[in-house]
């Protein structure tokens, strides 16, 4: 979890081998949408996918809530 609210963290606390197919789909979607993916910081769980927050994601995530 990102306490700074600057990033979305996907597959929080999952290992890199968990949900491999879902991670592959997510990574392609991130690339397709042109979102800024960053390297997970030191201490993050293996397999986490970190993406910088963006207005488009904020709107869509709010719709799911």
């Amino acid at each position: 979890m990102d306490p700074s609210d600057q990033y979305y963290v996907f597959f929080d606390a999952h290992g890199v081998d968990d949900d491999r197919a879902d991670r592959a789909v997510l990574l392609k979607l991130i690339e397709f949408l042109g979102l800024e993916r960053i390297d997970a910081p030191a201490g993050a769980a293996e397999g986490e996918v970190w993406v910088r927050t963006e207005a488009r994601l904020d709107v869509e995530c709010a719709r799911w809530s």
Side-chain angles (χ1 to χ4, degrees):
M1 194 70 159
D2 172 38
S4 73
D5 289 330
Q6 294 180 38
Y7 306 98
Y8 284 108
V9 181
F10 299 95
F11 298 102
D12 186 29
H14 287 259
V16 72
D17 291 328
D18 294 342
D19 305 317
R20 188 173 290 275
D22 290 338
R23 283 182 86 255
V25 170
L26 174 65
L27 294 176
K28 286 185 183 211
L29 183 60
I30 289 169
E31 181 180 347
F32 174 78
L33 294 174
L35 300 174
E36 184 180 354
R37 182 175 175 213
I38 66 157
D39 292 332
E46 184 179 358
E48 289 183 348
V49 176
W50 286 57
V51 176
R52 189 173 302 280
T53 57
E54 183 179 297
R56 294 181 295 164
L57 283 177
D58 294 339
V59 169
E60 291 303 319
C61 289
R63 288 177 52 190
W64 292 352
S65 299

